[in-house]
Amino acid sequence: MFNLPSLSIIIPVFNEQSQIAGALTAFRSQARESQARGQEVDQRLEVIVVDGGSSDRTAEIVRSFDFVRFTVAEQANRGWQMNQGARMANGEILVFLHADVKLPQRPLNAIRQALADERMLGGCFQICFPADAPKSLKLVAWGINLRTRWYRTATGDQAIFVRRGVFEEIGGYQTLPLMEDIEFFHQIKQHGRVAVLRGKVEISPRRWLKRGIWRTVLLMYLLRVGYWLGIHPATLKRFFLDVR
């Protein structure tokens, strides 16, 4: 256990009272399952939640989990929140997790194994949707995973992880109103290799169901194209659906 690199999981939240309890309960359940199997609980892991100024019960819910380190961000901006969480973190590896994303089984082992290769600077998971989600979302997930493997690109839904030293070298996340995750992963790739893990995080279908599956897919790709064409994220943000 003591030879394992320490990890900090950083969760940015804003009005996530419907999601955050499930995310934090999963970490508690995994620790209890390890104890039940007679395995040592990973003490080289910390969970940090950074609130963007929620007006619902998010902060109250987070504070009820005594193993979680909680803070309120100086600015209500996801990039700022993740940078603030990183400044608090003690881990050698930083993992950025959205509140509505569920990690696969034994994710920390997978991350550590990937970064045992010193050439790897960071990485991400592939995705899936819940089993009861519309079948068309399986095709969406297939397309996202194919893009991820081919182009080594990732969004924040894919539990991006990175070595602390690399995070500091590239200056963390840019505090953009949108696309901060894509830009961050791109910056990691500029410095070296990234790993795409075989494991899949389960992401919420709420955005696709709210606007319509294929409309949302089209919107996401148009936003990406617009960003790479140089349209400012503040302009693109006007077309983005926030479902929180």
Side-chain angles (χ1 to χ4, degrees), residues 95-177:
V95 184
F96 298 95
L97 181 70
H98 289 183
D100 60 352
V101 173
K102 297 179 181 178
L103 291 170
Q105 291 293 318
R106 304 180 69 81
L108 308 183
N109 287 349
I111 291 171
R112 284 171 168 143
Q113 287 172 10
L115 296 186
D117 182 343
E118 294 183 357
R119 297 172 297 175
M120 293 294 179
L121 305 186
C124 67
F125 289 85
Q126 299 182 72
I127 71 155
C128 66
F129 289 96
D132 60 354
K135 292 183 179 179
S136 54
L137 282 176
K138 291 184 179 180
L139 181 59
V140 173
W142 178 85
I144 292 172
N145 292 335
L146 183 64
R147 180 191 71 206
T148 299
R149 294 193 301 270
W150 276 9
Y151 297 108
R152 288 299 194 264
T153 183
T155 66
D157 285 336
Q158 293 177 250
I160 294 171
F161 56 90
V162 65
R163 298 182 191 275
R164 171 184 282 281
V166 176
F167 179 89
E168 293 172 348
E169 184 176 352
I170 65 179
Y173 281 86
Q174 295 186 31
T175 54
L176 302 172

Coordinates of all heavy atoms in Angstrom, one line a residue, residues 95-177:
V95 N -7.5 13.3 -10.1 CA -8.6 12.8 -10.9 C -9.8 13.7 -10.8 O -10.2 14.1 -9.7 CB -9.0 11.4 -10.3 CG1 -10.1 10.8 -11.2 CG2 -7.8 10.5 -10.2
F96 N -10.3 14.2 -11.9 CA -11.4 15.2 -12.0 C -12.6 14.4 -12.4 O -12.7 13.9 -13.5 CB -11.0 16.3 -13.0 CG -9.8 17.0 -12.5 CD1 -8.5 16.7 -13.0 CD2 -9.9 18.1 -11.6 CE1 -7.4 17.4 -12.6 CE2 -8.7 18.7 -11.2 CZ -7.5 18.4 -11.7
L97 N -13.6 14.5 -11.5 CA -14.8 13.6 -11.6 C -16.0 14.5 -11.5 O -16.2 15.3 -10.6 CB -14.9 12.6 -10.6 CG -16.0 11.6 -10.6 CD1 -15.9 10.7 -11.8 CD2 -16.1 10.8 -9.3
H98 N -17.0 14.4 -12.5 CA -18.2 15.1 -12.4 C -19.2 14.4 -11.5 O -19.1 13.1 -11.3 CB -18.9 15.2 -13.8 CG -18.1 16.2 -14.7 ND1 -18.5 16.5 -16.0 CD2 -17.0 16.9 -14.5 CE1 -17.7 17.4 -16.5 NE2 -16.8 17.6 -15.6
A99 N -20.1 15.1 -10.9 CA -21.0 14.6 -9.9 C -21.9 13.5 -10.4 O -22.4 12.6 -9.7 CB -21.8 15.7 -9.2
D100 N -22.2 13.6 -11.7 CA -23.2 12.6 -12.3 C -22.5 11.5 -13.1 O -23.1 10.9 -14.0 CB -24.2 13.4 -13.2 CG -23.5 14.1 -14.4 OD1 -22.2 14.2 -14.4 OD2 -24.2 14.6 -15.3
V101 N -21.2 11.3 -12.8 CA -20.5 10.2 -13.4 C -20.1 9.2 -12.4 O -19.6 9.5 -11.3 CB -19.2 10.8 -14.1 CG1 -18.3 9.7 -14.6 CG2 -19.6 11.8 -15.2
K102 N -20.3 7.9 -12.7 CA -20.0 6.8 -11.8 C -18.8 6.1 -12.4 O -18.7 5.6 -13.5 CB -21.2 5.8 -11.8 CG -22.4 6.4 -11.2 CD -23.6 5.4 -11.1 CE -24.8 6.0 -10.5 NZ -25.9 5.0 -10.5
L103 N -17.8 5.9 -11.5 CA -16.6 5.2 -11.9 C -16.8 3.7 -12.0 O -17.7 3.1 -11.3 CB -15.5 5.5 -10.8 CG -14.9 6.9 -10.8 CD1 -14.0 7.1 -9.5 CD2 -14.1 7.2 -12.0
P104 N -16.0 3.0 -12.8 CA -16.1 1.5 -12.9 C -15.5 0.8 -11.7 O -15.0 1.5 -10.8 CB -15.3 1.2 -14.2 CG -14.3 2.3 -14.2 CD -15.0 3.5 -13.7
Q105 N -15.6 -0.5 -11.7 CA -15.0 -1.2 -10.6 C -13.4 -1.0 -10.6 O -12.8 -1.0 -11.6 CB -15.3 -2.7 -10.8 CG -16.8 -3.1 -10.5 CD -17.2 -2.8 -9.1 OE1 -16.4 -3.2 -8.2 NE2 -18.4 -2.3 -8.9
R106 N -12.9 -0.9 -9.4 CA -11.4 -0.8 -9.2 C -10.8 0.3 -10.1 O -9.8 0.0 -10.7 CB -10.8 -2.2 -9.4 CG -11.4 -3.3 -8.5 CD -10.7 -4.6 -8.8 NE -9.3 -4.6 -8.3 CZ -9.0 -4.8 -7.0 NH1 -9.9 -5.0 -6.1 NH2 -7.7 -4.8 -6.7
P107 N -11.4 1.5 -10.1 CA -10.8 2.5 -11.0 C -9.5 3.0 -10.6 O -8.6 3.4 -11.4 CB -11.9 3.6 -10.9 CG -12.5 3.4 -9.6 CD -12.5 2.0 -9.3
L108 N -9.2 3.1 -9.3 CA -7.9 3.6 -8.8 C -6.8 2.7 -9.2 O -5.7 3.2 -9.5 CB -8.0 3.8 -7.3 CG -9.2 4.6 -6.8 CD1 -9.2 4.9 -5.3 CD2 -9.3 6.0 -7.6
N109 N -7.0 1.4 -9.1 CA -6.0 0.5 -9.6 C -5.7 0.6 -11.0 O -4.5 0.6 -11.5 CB -6.4 -1.0 -9.3 CG -6.4 -1.4 -7.9 OD1 -5.9 -0.6 -7.0 ND2 -7.0 -2.5 -7.5
A110 N -6.7 0.9 -11.8 CA -6.5 1.0 -13.3 C -5.7 2.3 -13.6 O -4.8 2.3 -14.4 CB -7.9 1.1 -14.0
I111 N -6.0 3.4 -12.8 CA -5.3 4.6 -13.0 C -3.8 4.4 -12.7 O -2.9 4.9 -13.4 CB -5.9 5.7 -12.2 CG1 -7.3 6.1 -12.8 CG2 -5.0 7.0 -12.2 CD1 -8.1 7.0 -11.9
R112 N -3.6 3.8 -11.5 CA -2.2 3.6 -11.0 C -1.4 2.7 -12.0 O -0.2 3.0 -12.3 CB -2.2 3.0 -9.6 CG -2.6 4.1 -8.6 CD -2.8 3.4 -7.2 NE -2.8 4.4 -6.1 CZ -3.6 4.3 -5.1 NH1 -4.5 3.3 -5.0 NH2 -3.6 5.2 -4.1
Q113 N -2.1 1.7 -12.5 CA -1.4 0.8 -13.4 C -1.0 1.5 -14.7 O 0.1 1.3 -15.3 CB -2.3 -0.4 -13.8 CG -2.4 -1.4 -12.6 CD -3.4 -2.5 -12.9 OE1 -3.9 -2.6 -14.0 NE2 -3.7 -3.2 -11.8
A114 N -1.9 2.4 -15.2 CA -1.6 3.2 -16.4 C -0.4 4.1 -16.2 O 0.4 4.2 -17.1 CB -2.9 3.9 -16.8
L115 N -0.4 4.7 -15.1 CA 0.7 5.7 -14.8 C 1.9 5.1 -14.3 O 2.9 5.8 -14.0 CB 0.2 6.8 -13.9 CG -1.0 7.7 -14.4 CD1 -1.3 8.8 -13.5 CD2 -0.6 8.2 -15.8
A116 N 1.9 3.7 -14.1 CA 3.2 3.1 -13.7 C 4.2 3.2 -14.9 O 5.4 3.1 -14.7 CB 2.9 1.6 -13.4
D117 N 3.6 3.4 -16.1 CA 4.5 3.7 -17.3 C 4.8 5.2 -17.2 O 3.9 6.0 -17.3 CB 3.7 3.4 -18.6 CG 4.5 3.6 -19.8 OD1 5.5 4.3 -19.7 OD2 4.1 3.1 -20.9
E118 N 6.1 5.5 -17.0 CA 6.5 6.9 -16.8 C 6.2 7.7 -18.0 O 6.2 9.0 -17.9 CB 7.9 6.9 -16.3 CG 8.2 6.3 -15.0 CD 9.6 6.4 -14.6 OE1 10.4 6.9 -15.4 OE2 10.0 6.0 -13.4
R119 N 6.0 7.1 -19.2 CA 5.8 7.9 -20.4 C 4.4 8.5 -20.4 O 4.1 9.4 -21.1 CB 6.0 7.0 -21.6 CG 7.4 6.5 -21.8 CD 7.5 5.5 -22.9 NE 6.7 4.3 -22.6 CZ 6.5 3.3 -23.5 NH1 7.0 3.4 -24.7 NH2 5.7 2.3 -23.1
M120 N 3.5 7.9 -19.6 CA 2.1 8.3 -19.5 C 1.9 9.5 -18.6 O 2.3 9.4 -17.4 CB 1.2 7.2 -19.1 CG 1.1 6.0 -20.1 SD 0.3 6.6 -21.7 CE 0.4 5.0 -22.6
L121 N 1.4 10.6 -19.0 CA 1.2 11.8 -18.2 C -0.1 11.9 -17.6 O -0.3 12.5 -16.6 CB 1.5 13.0 -19.0 CG 2.9 13.1 -19.8 CD1 3.0 14.4 -20.4 CD2 4.0 12.8 -18.8
G122 N -1.1 11.2 -18.2 CA -2.5 11.3 -17.7 C -3.3 10.4 -18.6 O -2.8 9.6 -19.3
G123 N -4.7 10.6 -18.5 CA -5.5 9.8 -19.3 C -7.0 10.0 -19.0 O -7.4 11.0 -18.3
C124 N -7.8 9.1 -19.4 CA -9.2 9.1 -19.2 C -9.8 7.7 -19.3 O -9.2 6.8 -19.8 CB -9.9 10.1 -20.2 SG -9.8 9.4 -21.9
F125 N -11.1 7.6 -19.0 CA -11.9 6.4 -19.2 C -12.7 6.5 -20.5 O -12.9 7.6 -21.0 CB -12.8 6.2 -18.0 CG -12.1 5.8 -16.7 CD1 -11.6 6.7 -15.9 CD2 -11.9 4.4 -16.4 CE1 -10.9 6.4 -14.7 CE2 -11.3 4.0 -15.2 CZ -10.8 5.0 -14.4
Q126 N -13.2 5.4 -20.9 CA -14.3 5.4 -21.9 C -15.6 5.5 -21.2 O -15.6 5.6 -20.0 CB -14.2 4.2 -22.8 CG -12.8 4.1 -23.5 CD -12.7 2.9 -24.4 OE1 -13.3 2.8 -25.5 NE2 -11.9 1.9 -24.0
I127 N -16.7 5.6 -21.9 CA -18.0 5.8 -21.3 C -19.0 4.8 -21.7 O -18.9 4.0 -22.6 CB -18.6 7.2 -21.7 CG1 -19.0 7.2 -23.2 CG2 -17.6 8.3 -21.5 CD1 -20.1 8.2 -23.5
C128 N -20.1 4.7 -20.8 CA -21.3 4.0 -21.2 C -22.4 4.8 -20.5 O -22.2 5.7 -19.7 CB -21.3 2.6 -20.7 SG -21.2 2.4 -18.9
F129 N -23.7 4.5 -20.9 CA -24.8 5.0 -20.3 C -25.5 4.0 -19.4 O -25.2 2.8 -19.6 CB -25.8 5.5 -21.4 CG -25.4 6.8 -22.1 CD1 -24.7 6.7 -23.3 CD2 -25.6 8.0 -21.5 CE1 -24.3 7.8 -24.0 CE2 -25.1 9.1 -22.2 CZ -24.5 9.0 -23.4
P130 N -26.4 4.3 -18.5 CA -27.1 3.3 -17.7 C -27.8 2.3 -18.5 O -28.2 2.6 -19.7 CB -28.1 4.2 -16.9 CG -27.5 5.6 -16.8 CD -26.8 5.7 -18.2
A131 N -28.0 1.1 -18.0 CA -28.6 0.0 -18.7 C -30.0 0.4 -19.2 O -30.5 -0.1 -20.2 CB -28.6 -1.2 -17.8
D132 N -30.7 1.2 -18.4 CA -32.1 1.5 -18.8 C -32.2 2.8 -19.7 O -33.3 3.2 -20.0 CB -33.0 1.7 -17.5 CG -32.5 2.9 -16.6 OD1 -31.4 3.4 -16.9 OD2 -33.1 3.2 -15.6
A133 N -31.1 3.3 -20.1 CA -31.1 4.4 -21.1 C -31.6 4.0 -22.4 O -31.5 2.8 -22.8 CB -29.8 5.1 -21.1
P134 N -32.1 4.9 -23.2 CA -32.6 4.5 -24.6 C -31.4 3.8 -25.4 O -30.3 4.2 -25.3 CB -32.9 5.9 -25.2 CG -33.3 6.7 -24.1 CD -32.4 6.3 -22.9
K135 N -31.8 2.9 -26.2 CA -30.8 2.1 -26.9 C -30.0 2.9 -27.8 O -28.8 2.6 -28.1 CB -31.5 1.0 -27.7 CG -32.2 -0.1 -26.8 CD -32.8 -1.2 -27.7 CE -33.4 -2.3 -26.8 NZ -34.1 -3.4 -27.6
S136 N -30.5 4.0 -28.4 CA -29.8 4.9 -29.3 C -28.6 5.5 -28.6 O -27.6 5.8 -29.3 CB -30.7 6.0 -29.9 OG -31.3 6.7 -28.8
L137 N -28.6 5.6 -27.3 CA -27.5 6.1 -26.6 C -26.3 5.2 -26.6 O -25.1 5.6 -26.4 CB -27.8 6.5 -25.1 CG -28.6 7.8 -25.0 CD1 -29.0 8.1 -23.6 CD2 -27.8 9.0 -25.5
K138 N -26.5 3.9 -26.8 CA -25.4 2.9 -26.9 C -24.6 3.3 -28.1 O -23.4 3.1 -28.1 CB -25.9 1.5 -27.0 CG -26.6 1.0 -25.7 CD -27.0 -0.5 -25.8 CE -27.6 -1.0 -24.5 NZ -28.0 -2.4 -24.6
L139 N -25.3 3.7 -29.2 CA -24.6 4.1 -30.4 C -23.8 5.4 -30.2 O -22.7 5.5 -30.7 CB -25.6 4.3 -31.6 CG -25.0 4.7 -32.9 CD1 -24.0 3.6 -33.4 CD2 -26.1 4.9 -33.9
V140 N -24.4 6.3 -29.4 CA -23.7 7.5 -29.1 C -22.4 7.2 -28.3 O -21.4 7.8 -28.6 CB -24.6 8.4 -28.2 CG1 -23.8 9.7 -27.7 CG2 -25.8 8.9 -29.1
A141 N -22.5 6.3 -27.3 CA -21.4 5.9 -26.5 C -20.3 5.3 -27.4 O -19.1 5.6 -27.2 CB -21.8 5.0 -25.4
W142 N -20.7 4.4 -28.3 CA -19.8 3.8 -29.2 C -19.0 4.8 -30.0 O -17.8 4.7 -30.2 CB -20.5 2.8 -30.1 CG -19.7 2.2 -31.2 CD1 -18.9 1.0 -31.0 CD2 -19.4 2.6 -32.5 NE1 -18.2 0.7 -32.1 CE2 -18.5 1.7 -33.1 CE3 -19.8 3.7 -33.2 CZ2 -18.0 1.8 -34.4 CZ3 -19.4 3.8 -34.5 CH2 -18.5 2.9 -35.1
G143 N -19.7 5.8 -30.5 CA -19.1 6.9 -31.3 C -18.1 7.7 -30.5 O -17.0 8.0 -30.9
I144 N -18.5 8.0 -29.2 CA -17.6 8.8 -28.3 C -16.4 8.0 -28.0 O -15.2 8.5 -28.0 CB -18.3 9.2 -27.1 CG1 -19.4 10.2 -27.4 CG2 -17.4 9.7 -26.0 CD1 -20.3 10.5 -26.2
N145 N -16.5 6.7 -27.7 CA -15.4 5.8 -27.4 C -14.5 5.7 -28.6 O -13.2 5.6 -28.4 CB -15.9 4.5 -26.9 CG -16.5 4.6 -25.5 OD1 -16.3 5.5 -24.8 ND2 -17.4 3.7 -25.2
L146 N -15.0 5.6 -29.8 CA -14.2 5.4 -31.0 C -13.4 6.7 -31.2 O -12.2 6.6 -31.5 CB -15.1 5.2 -32.2 CG -14.4 5.0 -33.5 CD1 -13.5 3.7 -33.5 CD2 -15.4 4.9 -34.7
R147 N -14.0 7.8 -31.0 CA -13.3 9.1 -31.1 C -12.2 9.2 -30.1 O -11.1 9.7 -30.4 CB -14.3 10.3 -31.0 CG -13.7 11.7 -31.1 CD -14.6 12.7 -30.7 NE -14.9 12.7 -29.2 CZ -16.0 13.1 -28.7 NH1 -17.0 13.5 -29.4 NH2 -16.1 13.0 -27.3
T148 N -12.5 8.8 -28.9 CA -11.5 8.8 -27.8 C -10.3 8.0 -28.1 O -9.2 8.4 -27.9 CB -12.2 8.4 -26.5 OG1 -13.3 9.3 -26.2 CG2 -11.2 8.4 -25.3
R149 N -10.5 6.8 -28.6 CA -9.4 5.9 -28.9 C -8.6 6.4 -30.1 O -7.3 6.3 -30.1 CB -9.9 4.5 -29.1 CG -10.5 3.8 -27.9 CD -10.7 2.3 -28.1 NE -11.6 2.0 -29.3 CZ -12.9 1.9 -29.2 NH1 -13.5 2.0 -28.1 NH2 -13.6 1.6 -30.3
W150 N -9.2 6.8 -31.1 CA -8.5 7.2 -32.3 C -7.8 8.5 -32.1 O -6.6 8.6 -32.5 CB -9.6 7.4 -33.5 CG -9.9 6.1 -34.2 CD1 -9.5 4.9 -33.8 CD2 -10.7 6.0 -35.4 NE1 -10.1 3.9 -34.7 CE2 -10.8 4.6 -35.6 CE3 -11.3 6.9 -36.2 CZ2 -11.4 4.1 -36.8 CZ3 -12.0 6.4 -37.3 CH2 -12.1 5.0 -37.6
Y151 N -8.4 9.5 -31.5 CA -7.8 10.8 -31.5 C -7.2 11.2 -30.1 O -6.6 12.3 -30.0 CB -8.9 11.9 -31.9 CG -9.3 11.7 -33.3 CD1 -10.6 11.2 -33.6 CD2 -8.5 12.0 -34.4 CE1 -11.1 11.1 -34.8 CE2 -9.0 11.9 -35.7 CZ -10.3 11.4 -35.9 OH -10.7 11.3 -37.2
R152 N -7.4 10.3 -29.1 CA -6.8 10.5 -27.8 C -7.3 11.9 -27.3 O -6.6 12.8 -27.0 CB -5.3 10.5 -27.8 CG -4.7 9.1 -27.9 CD -5.2 8.2 -26.8 NE -4.4 7.0 -26.7 CZ -4.8 5.8 -27.2 NH1 -5.9 5.7 -27.9 NH2 -4.1 4.7 -26.9
T153 N -8.7 12.1 -27.3 CA -9.3 13.3 -26.8 C -10.3 12.9 -25.8 O -10.8 11.8 -25.8 CB -9.9 14.1 -28.0 OG1 -10.5 15.3 -27.5 CG2 -11.0 13.3 -28.6
A154 N -10.6 13.8 -24.9 CA -11.6 13.5 -23.8 C -12.3 14.7 -23.4 O -11.8 15.8 -23.5 CB -10.8 12.8 -22.7
T155 N -13.5 14.5 -22.8 CA -14.3 15.5 -22.1 C -14.3 15.3 -20.6 O -13.9 14.2 -20.2 CB -15.7 15.6 -22.7 OG1 -16.4 14.4 -22.3 CG2 -15.7 15.7 -24.2
G156 N -14.8 16.2 -19.9 CA -14.8 16.1 -18.4 C -15.7 14.9 -17.9 O -15.4 14.5 -16.8
D157 N -16.6 14.5 -18.7 CA -17.4 13.3 -18.3 C -16.6 12.0 -18.2 O -17.1 11.0 -17.7 CB -18.6 13.1 -19.3 CG -19.7 14.1 -19.2 OD1 -19.8 14.7 -18.1 OD2 -20.4 14.3 -20.2
Q158 N -15.4 12.0 -18.7 CA -14.6 10.8 -18.8 C -13.6 10.6 -17.7 O -12.6 9.8 -17.8 CB -13.9 10.7 -20.2 CG -14.9 10.6 -21.3 CD -14.3 10.6 -22.7 OE1 -14.5 11.5 -23.5 NE2 -13.6 9.5 -23.1
A159 N -13.8 11.4 -16.6 CA -12.9 11.2 -15.4 C -11.4 11.4 -15.8 O -10.6 10.5 -15.6 CB -13.1 9.9 -14.7
I160 N -11.1 12.6 -16.3 CA -9.7 12.9 -16.7 C -8.8 12.8 -15.5 O -9.1 13.3 -14.4 CB -9.6 14.3 -17.3 CG1 -10.4 14.3 -18.7 CG2 -8.2 14.7 -17.6 CD1 -10.6 15.7 -19.3
F161 N -7.6 12.2 -15.6 CA -6.6 12.1 -14.6 C -5.3 12.6 -15.1 O -5.0 12.4 -16.3 CB -6.6 10.7 -13.9 CG -6.3 9.6 -14.9 CD1 -5.0 9.2 -15.2 CD2 -7.3 8.9 -15.5 CE1 -4.7 8.2 -16.1 CE2 -7.1 7.9 -16.4 CZ -5.8 7.5 -16.7
V162 N -4.4 13.0 -14.2 CA -3.2 13.6 -14.6 C -2.2 13.6 -13.4 O -2.6 13.7 -12.3 CB -3.4 15.0 -15.1 CG1 -3.8 16.0 -14.0 CG2 -2.1 15.6 -15.8
R163 N -0.9 13.5 -13.8 CA 0.1 13.6 -12.7 C 0.1 15.1 -12.2 O 0.0 16.0 -13.0 CB 1.5 13.3 -13.3 CG 1.6 11.8 -13.8 CD 3.0 11.6 -14.2 NE 3.2 10.3 -15.0 CZ 3.4 9.1 -14.4 NH1 3.5 9.1 -13.1 NH2 3.5 8.0 -15.1
R164 N 0.3 15.2 -10.9 CA 0.3 16.6 -10.3 C 1.3 17.5 -11.0 O 1.1 18.6 -11.3 CB 0.6 16.5 -8.8 CG 0.8 17.9 -8.2 CD 1.2 17.8 -6.7 NE 0.0 17.5 -5.9 CZ -0.9 18.5 -5.6 NH1 -0.7 19.7 -6.0 NH2 -1.9 18.2 -4.9
G165 N 2.5 16.9 -11.2 CA 3.6 17.8 -11.8 C 3.2 18.3 -13.2 O 3.5 19.4 -13.6
V166 N 2.5 17.4 -14.0 CA 2.1 17.8 -15.3 C 1.0 18.9 -15.2 O 1.0 19.9 -15.9 CB 1.6 16.6 -16.1 CG1 1.1 17.0 -17.4 CG2 2.7 15.6 -16.2
F167 N 0.1 18.7 -14.3 CA -1.0 19.7 -14.0 C -0.4 21.1 -13.7 O -0.8 22.1 -14.3 CB -1.8 19.2 -12.9 CG -3.0 20.2 -12.5 CD1 -4.2 20.1 -13.1 CD2 -2.8 21.2 -11.6 CE1 -5.2 20.9 -12.8 CE2 -3.8 22.1 -11.3 CZ -5.0 21.9 -11.9
E168 N 0.6 21.1 -12.9 CA 1.2 22.3 -12.5 C 2.1 22.9 -13.7 O 2.1 24.2 -13.9 CB 2.1 22.1 -11.3 CG 1.3 21.8 -10.0 CD 2.2 21.4 -8.8 OE1 3.4 21.2 -9.1 OE2 1.7 21.3 -7.7
E169 N 2.7 22.1 -14.4 CA 3.5 22.5 -15.6 C 2.6 23.2 -16.6 O 3.1 24.2 -17.2 CB 4.3 21.4 -16.2 CG 5.2 21.8 -17.3 CD 6.0 20.6 -17.8 OE1 6.0 19.5 -17.2 OE2 6.7 20.8 -18.8
I170 N 1.5 22.7 -16.9 CA 0.6 23.3 -17.9 C -0.3 24.4 -17.4 O -1.0 25.1 -18.1 CB -0.2 22.3 -18.6 CG1 -1.3 21.6 -17.7 CG2 0.6 21.2 -19.3 CD1 -2.1 20.6 -18.4
G171 N -0.2 24.7 -16.0 CA -1.0 25.7 -15.5 C -2.4 25.4 -15.1 O -3.2 26.3 -14.9
G172 N -2.7 24.1 -15.0 CA -4.1 23.7 -14.7 C -5.1 24.0 -15.8 O -4.7 24.1 -16.9
Y173 N -6.3 24.1 -15.4 CA -7.4 24.4 -16.3 C -7.5 25.9 -16.6 O -7.3 26.7 -15.8 CB -8.7 24.0 -15.7 CG -9.0 22.5 -15.7 CD1 -8.6 21.6 -14.7 CD2 -9.8 21.9 -16.8 CE1 -8.9 20.3 -14.8 CE2 -10.1 20.6 -16.8 CZ -9.6 19.8 -15.8 OH -9.9 18.4 -15.8
Q174 N -7.8 26.2 -17.9 CA -8.1 27.5 -18.2 C -9.5 27.8 -17.7 O -10.4 26.9 -17.7 CB -8.0 27.8 -19.7 CG -6.6 27.6 -20.3 CD -6.6 28.0 -21.7 OE1 -7.3 28.8 -22.2 NE2 -5.7 27.3 -22.5
T175 N -9.8 29.0 -17.2 CA -11.1 29.3 -16.6 C -12.0 29.8 -17.7 O -12.6 30.9 -17.7 CB -10.9 30.4 -15.5 OG1 -10.2 31.5 -16.0 CG2 -10.2 29.8 -14.3
L176 N -12.2 28.9 -18.7 CA -13.1 29.2 -19.8 C -14.6 28.9 -19.4 O -14.8 28.1 -18.5 CB -12.8 28.4 -21.0 CG -11.3 28.5 -21.5 CD1 -11.1 27.4 -22.6 CD2 -11.1 29.9 -22.1
P177 N -15.6 29.6 -20.0 CA -17.0 29.3 -19.7 C -17.4 28.0 -20.3 O -18.5 27.4 -19.9 CB -17.7 30.5 -20.3 CG -16.9 31.0 -21.4 CD -15.4 30.7 -20.9

